[in-house]
């Protein structure tokens, strides 16, 4: 790792960039038992010492050592702050302007890198769902104690869990049609039975075996074929991305609200 950081620092110097040691964070990933064997680990990265922390931020996403992303759900504080400000001026806004503000300050934060949250605990997802519920109340001027499900249904929006599934399935479709990066395409394998079966032409994917659902069950290589195989064949066989998006949202909407 130390040699790798030196190479990065050298490349940055050649391109008139500077590696800031004060802002460089080190994160040690792995099981708790394995991490406990390195309690006093100090790395010398490009002439400055660095001690692994419990979490690190990368491109705005807070990653912790357990990959639980519990700390990333802290974006709810910022979202509620913006939501309170929008609520103060909601009566002076038109429906279109309110929609623009909610999408700009709330929805964009909930959807940012949400694929990483696939398989997270219900506790973490519920925090984000509370933000979406509150945003729907502010947007539609719904009272606090009124049931929120009919409101979300009337807005034709997906809940947090289904928004995550939507993003994963969209990436899967693009990967299968050569529209995604190669490293994602390499994680997907078509199901080819050893003998002729009806499922041979169903467009199914191979679901890899995993040892622990808590770890391997959240990997893209496992999650995306599992979700993909559960889709109706009419959705999987969509000819274009736009058609796939429409059919996928309709399918997930029916699962979320039963209509």
């Amino acid at each position: 790792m130390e040699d790798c950081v030196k190479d990065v620092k050298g490349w940055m110097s050649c391109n008139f960039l500077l590696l800031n040691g004060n802002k460089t964070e080190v994160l040690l990933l792995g099981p708790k038992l394995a991490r406990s064997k390195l309690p006093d680990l100090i790395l010398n990265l490009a002439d400055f010492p660095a001690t692994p922390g419990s979490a690190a931020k990368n491109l705005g996403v807070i990653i912790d050592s357990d990959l639980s992303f519990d700390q990333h759900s802290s974006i709810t504080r910022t979202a509620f702050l913006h939501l309170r400000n929008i609520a103060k001026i909601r009566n002076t806004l038109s429906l279109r302007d309110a929609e623009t503000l909610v999408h700009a300050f709330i929805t964009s934060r909930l959807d940012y890198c949400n694929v990483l949250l696939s398989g997270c605990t219900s506790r973490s997802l519920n925090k984000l769902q509370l933000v979406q519920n509150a945003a729907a109340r502010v947007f539609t001027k719904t009272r606090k104690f009124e049931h929120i499900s009919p409101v979300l249904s009337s807005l034709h929006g997906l809940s947090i869990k289904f928004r995550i599934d939507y993003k994963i399935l969209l990436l899967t479709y693009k990967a299968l049609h050569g529209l995604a990066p190669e490293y994602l395409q390499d994680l997907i394998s078509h199901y080819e039975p050893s003998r002729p079966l009806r499922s041979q032409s169903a467009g199914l994917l191979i679901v890899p075996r995993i040892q622990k659902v808590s770890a391997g069950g959240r990997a893209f290589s496992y999650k995306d074929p599992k979700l993909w195989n559960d889709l109706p064949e009419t959705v999987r066989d969509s000819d274009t991305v736009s058609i796939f998006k429409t059919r996928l949202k309709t399918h997930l909407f029916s699962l979320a609200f039963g209509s």
Side-chain angles (χ1 to χ4, degrees):
M1 181 181 292
E2 295 177 356
D3 293 337
C4 181
V5 174
K6 287 182 180 179
D7 293 339
V8 172
K9 184 179 181 181
W11 179 88
M12 295 180 70
S13 298
C14 293
N15 290 273
F16 306 100
L17 300 173
L18 177 65
L19 180 63
N20 192 338
N22 296 326
K23 294 184 177 180
T24 301
E25 299 175 294
V26 178
L27 183 64
L28 190 62
L29 301 175
K32 291 183 179 180
L33 181 61
R35 298 200 310 266
S36 63
K37 297 179 181 179
L38 301 170
D40 302 320
L41 178 63
I42 298 178
L43 299 174
N44 184 21
L45 303 180
D47 302 327
F48 60 88
T51 303
S54 58
K57 180 179 287 189
N58 184 25
L59 298 177
V61 178
I62 302 177
I63 307 173
D64 56 272
S65 299
D66 296 320
L67 293 179
S68 64
F69 294 97
D70 287 339
Q71 297 188 41
H72 180 64
S73 60
S74 62
I75 62 173
T76 56
R77 290 196 295 269
T78 305
F80 273 122
L81 174 62
H82 290 301
L83 198 55
R84 283 193 292 270
N85 293 333
I86 295 174
K88 293 177 182 178
I89 61 173
R90 176 63 185 92
N91 291 331
T92 64
L93 296 173
S94 65
L95 195 64
R96 183 175 181 180
D97 292 338
E99 181 181 6
T100 300
L101 288 177
V102 169
H103 283 317
F105 291 100
I106 309 301
T107 309
S108 61
R109 296 178 184 274
L110 298 179
D111 289 342
Y112 180 68
C113 293
N114 61 350
V115 173
L116 298 174
L117 304 179
S118 176
C120 283
T121 61
S122 299
R123 178 173 173 270
S124 297
L125 297 182
N126 285 340
K127 293 180 180 179
L128 302 179
Q129 188 60 54
L130 289 175
V131 176
Q132 187 185 40
N133 294 349
R137 293 185 188 279
V138 171
F139 177 68
T140 59
K141 298 182 181 180
T142 303
R143 294 182 179 180
K144 181 178 180 180
F145 297 103
E146 293 184 23
H147 196 46
I148 194 62
S149 293
V151 177
L152 294 176
S153 178
S154 65
L155 294 175
H156 301 283
L158 299 174
S159 60
I160 296 298
K161 176 185 178 301
F162 288 104
R163 295 176 84 91
I164 295 173
D165 292 345
Y166 176 89
K167 186 73 72 65
I168 293 176
L169 289 167
L170 180 58
L171 286 174
T172 305
Y173 180 88
K174 290 183 177 180
L176 291 172
H177 293 79
L179 302 175
E182 289 187 6
Y183 65 85
L184 289 180
Q185 299 179 35
D186 294 339
L187 297 175
I188 299 175
S189 300
H190 286 278
Y191 170 69
E192 297 180 359
S194 57
R195 54 191 178 87
L197 297 173
R198 181 180 297 179
S199 60
Q200 185 173 1
S201 59
L204 301 178
L205 302 177
I206 297 177
V207 180
R209 295 182 179 180
I210 56 175
Q211 294 182 349
K212 294 183 178 180
V213 177
S214 59
R218 294 177 54 192
F220 181 81
S221 58
Y222 174 83
K223 197 72 175 181
D224 74 292
K226 191 172 180 62
L227 290 173
W228 180 264
N229 293 346
D230 290 337
L231 287 177
E233 190 171 351
T234 55
V235 179
R236 295 197 302 263
D237 291 341
S238 300
D239 295 328
T240 64
V241 175
S242 59
I243 295 177
F244 177 77
K245 286 182 178 180
T246 302
R247 292 178 178 176
L248 177 61
K249 184 175 181 180
T250 302
H251 171 67
L252 295 178
F253 187 86
S254 63
L255 293 179
F257 301 103
S259 59

